[in-house]
């Protein structure tokens, strides 16, 4: 089993919090897609003929591409990879790109899952974040997608926005629930170095929400969504349930990352991992295009994964999920001494009720999730 991630780095403008690689020169889109088609051919052996179960278009803003470009990409993927029948194919989209015309064109493609970057249902928050849509745009986009027949829709929300109140955050969640989408991802606003929001913080022009309030936002989120029947299956992700899917409509693509599946990343700044190596493409649209179209060389770097790297990757990815770290599996993969070492490292967090062991699995508790970065730093091997 394998997945393919395709990075579409273009944005009309940058959100103040985003630290993903993106570019605002939209004139390069055609050249970029041409290079992307060539990269597919150059990397068609990377995942060693494993069947591809998921394809994910991330960004940037994939919804800036016309549907004819997606047709070209799908045709090239089919020619170079073994893709299963009915794979999960996700497209990230901005609400204001999702006109009824564009949605109807998307429906003609193999895309069967939409991830809509709502971020907030409050216009003041959206303006602060430098988003280019309004609350009304977001609501209409979701409704139009549902009316067009999309039945696997995820929306993103952000909490911990400066001046955000508990009442505002509850309203955000209530609006998300009223739209009855199949999946919700919610993230605490981060202040990554190099972003505009980080610079504003450093200059004292904005005040981040304190940890205590952020934890309250998170607890409200978990309580409301789980009460509404969503499954909290990963730190930031919640899957809705249906009678046909009582275990939740999870993101199969992201779940495959957390469960160690091999994946191929295509496009500028995309990452790949096949279990033995990890590679990443150059974070430059122009450099990416020139390297492939002019030099016919993959614009990437590669590292070989030693046992320490594999172990750390296992710990970091598994502990993020509701399934946690399976001790028997860990012992098979890395040996009994590593299992004993991990159990010793976990003891203090178990005493603090930040971790729990049940049925041979180590899992984060709800209070442990909020300090998961600290816990993971303690558990990995330096």
């Amino acid at each position: 089993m394998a997945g393919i991630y395709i990075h579409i780095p273009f944005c009309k403008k940058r959100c103040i919090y985003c630290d993903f690689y993106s570019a605002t020169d939209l004139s390069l889109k055609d050249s970029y897609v041409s290079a992307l088609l060539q990269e597919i051919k150059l990397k068609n052996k990377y995942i060693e003929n494993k069947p591809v179960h998921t394809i994910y278009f991330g960004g940037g803003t994939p919804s800036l591409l016309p549907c004819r470009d997606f047709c070209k990409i799908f045709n090239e993927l089919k020619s170079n990879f073994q893709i299963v029948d009915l794979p999960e194919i996700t497209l990230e989209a901005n609400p204001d790109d999702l006109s009824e015309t564009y949605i109807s064109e998307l429906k003609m493609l193999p895309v069967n899952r939409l991830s809509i970057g709502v971020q907030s249902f409050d216009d003041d928050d959206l303006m602060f974040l430098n988003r280019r849509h309004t609350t009304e745009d977001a609501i209409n986009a979701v409704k139009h997608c549902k009316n067009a027949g999309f039945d696997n829709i995820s929306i993103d929300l952000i909490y911990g926005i400066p001046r955000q109140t508990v009442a505002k955050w509850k309203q955000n969640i209530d609006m998300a629930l009223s739209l009855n989408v199949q999946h919700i991802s919610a993230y605490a606003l981060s202040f990554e170095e190099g972003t505009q929001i980080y610079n504003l913080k450093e200059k004292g022009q904005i005040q981040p929400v304190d940890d205590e309030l952020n934890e309250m936002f998170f607890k409200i989120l978990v309580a409301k969504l789980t009460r509404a029947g969503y499954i909290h299956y990963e730190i930031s992700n919640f899957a809705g349930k249906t009678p046909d899917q009582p275990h939740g409509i999870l993101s199969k693509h992201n779940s495959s990352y957390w469960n160690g599946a091999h994946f191929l990343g295509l496009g500028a700044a995309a990452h790949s991992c096949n279990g033995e190596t990890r590679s990443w493409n150059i974070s430059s649209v122009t450099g990416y295009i020139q390297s492939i179209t002019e030099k016919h060389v993959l614009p990437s770097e590669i590292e070989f994964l030693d046992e320490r790297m594999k172990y750390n990757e296992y710990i970091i990815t598994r502990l993020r999920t509701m399934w946690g770290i399976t001790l028997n599996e860990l012992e098979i993969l890395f040996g009994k001494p590593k299992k004993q070492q991990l159990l010793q490292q976990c003891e203090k967090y178990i005493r603090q009720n930040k971790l729990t062991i049940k049925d041979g699995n180590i899992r984060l508790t709800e209070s442990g999730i909020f300090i998961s970065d600290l816990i993971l730093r303690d558990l990995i091997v330096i």
Side-chain angles (χ1 to χ4, degrees):
M1 176 178 176
I4 295 176
Y5 173 84
I6 302 171
H7 193 61
I8 309 298
F10 300 102
C11 291
K12 287 184 179 177
K13 63 179 183 178
R14 287 192 178 89
C15 302
I16 65 172
Y17 57 88
C18 185
D19 68 330
F20 292 124
Y21 175 69
S22 63
T24 54
D25 185 353
L26 304 186
S27 69
L28 296 171
K29 283 194 298 180
D30 288 346
S31 298
Y32 183 81
V33 171
S34 295
L36 192 59
L37 297 176
Q38 292 185 53
E39 188 189 7
I40 291 171
K41 296 174 186 174
L42 291 168
K43 282 190 175 173
N44 62 6
K45 298 291 189 286
Y46 185 81
I47 49 178
E48 300 173 335
N49 296 319
K50 283 185 169 57
V52 174
H53 286 251
T54 64
I55 299 169
Y56 193 105
F57 292 89
T61 316
S63 53
L64 287 177
L65 285 191
C67 288
R68 65 177 180 273
D69 285 341
F70 290 115
C71 287
K72 295 175 186 175
I73 294 168
F74 284 127
N75 287 337
E76 202 62 62
L77 289 173
K78 288 176 185 176
S79 297
N80 286 274
F81 296 98
Q82 180 188 341
I83 300 174
V84 300
D85 293 335
L86 298 177
E88 178 192 84
I89 302 179
T90 303
L91 175 79
E92 289 184 355
N94 268 21
D96 57 325
D97 293 331
L98 292 172
S99 66
E100 290 185 77
T101 299
Y102 190 71
I103 293 168
S104 65
E105 291 174 354
L106 286 179
K107 197 70 180 115
M108 304 291 287
L109 298 172
V111 172
N112 51 27
R113 184 175 184 271
L114 297 175
S115 178
I116 303 175
V118 172
Q119 315 310 358
S120 177
F121 291 105
D122 181 273
D123 284 334
D124 289 338
D125 288 346
L126 293 171
M127 190 175 299
F128 170 76
L129 296 172
N130 203 30
R131 299 294 292 172
R132 54 184 172 90
H133 66 273
T134 64
T135 297
E136 185 178 8
D137 291 334
I139 293 169
N140 288 337
V142 175
K143 289 181 177 178
H144 291 154
C145 290
K146 293 176 73 173
N147 291 339
F150 282 101
D151 58 3
N152 194 352
I153 298 171
S154 178
I155 63 173
D156 288 352
L157 295 176
I158 292 177
Y159 60 91
I161 300 169
R163 296 187 296 278
Q164 189 175 46
T165 63
V166 168
K168 257 191 185 184
W169 179 230
K170 287 181 177 178
Q171 289 169 4
N172 264 286
I173 301 169
D174 289 341
M175 178 55 72
L177 290 173
S178 73
L179 292 171
N180 196 29
V181 292
Q182 289 73 32
H183 190 277
I184 296 172
S185 298
Y187 306 94
L189 181 65
S190 60
F191 294 77
E192 303 296 337
E193 191 169 354
T195 61
Q196 187 181 347
I197 199 169
Y198 176 86
N199 295 333
L200 291 172
K201 176 178 74 75
E202 291 300 293
K203 293 174 184 176
Q205 294 177 357
I206 58 171
Q207 185 66 39
V209 169
D210 62 50
D211 287 345
E212 186 176 339
L213 183 54
N214 251 344
E215 186 169 3
M216 184 183 297
F217 287 148
F218 179 74
K219 288 180 177 177
I220 291 168
L221 171 75
V222 173
K224 277 183 165 287
L225 293 190
T226 52
R227 196 180 306 127
Y230 285 78
I231 297 172
H232 187 195
Y233 72 101
E234 193 270 343
I235 289 176
S236 303
N237 288 276
F238 300 79
K241 293 184 290 186
T242 66
D244 292 337
Q245 293 179 277
H247 300 298
I249 307 170
L250 283 59
S251 166
K252 294 178 182 177
H253 184 83
N254 288 338
S255 295
S256 70
Y257 287 155
W258 303 320
N259 288 304
H262 296 180
F263 60 91
L264 169 64
L266 300 166
H271 286 235
S272 304
C273 184
N274 64 5
E276 296 301 324
T277 65
R278 184 185 292 117
S279 63
W280 53 96
N281 286 346
I282 187 173
S283 295
S284 164
V285 167
T286 54
Y288 172 82
I289 293 170
Q290 288 170 0
S291 182
I292 291 179
T293 59
E294 296 176 13
K295 303 174 185 176
H296 304 289
V297 174
L298 288 172
S300 60
E301 295 183 47
I302 188 168
E303 67 178 358
F304 290 86
L305 303 178
D306 59 24
E307 283 302 297
R308 179 186 62 83
M309 292 175 176
K310 292 177 183 179
Y311 175 82
N312 287 345
E313 188 79 11
Y314 183 90
I315 297 298
I316 290 168
T317 54
R318 299 310 195 279
L319 199 59
R320 293 186 61 86
T321 70
M322 68 178 184
W323 306 284
I325 297 167
T326 303
L327 289 170
N328 284 342
E329 182 181 58
L330 183 139
E331 182 175 346
I332 292 168
L333 292 172
F334 303 104
K336 191 169 184 177
K338 273 286 190 290
K339 184 180 81 168
Q340 295 303 325
Q341 173 187 314
L342 178 65
L343 288 170
Q344 290 173 5
Q345 291 172 309
C346 289
E347 281 180 3
K348 70 174 181 179
Y349 292 113
I350 292 170
R351 289 196 301 271
Q352 296 168 9
N353 193 35
K354 304 300 182 185
L355 290 174
T356 182
I357 299 181
K358 185 179 179 182
D359 300 325
N361 283 27
I362 301 173
R363 299 180 179 91
L364 291 164
T365 64
E366 184 176 310
S367 61
I369 288 174
F370 200 71
I371 61 164
S372 58
D373 287 347
L374 172 63
I375 295 173
L376 288 169
R377 282 197 299 271
D378 276 358
L379 298 186
I380 61 173
V381 177
I382 304 300

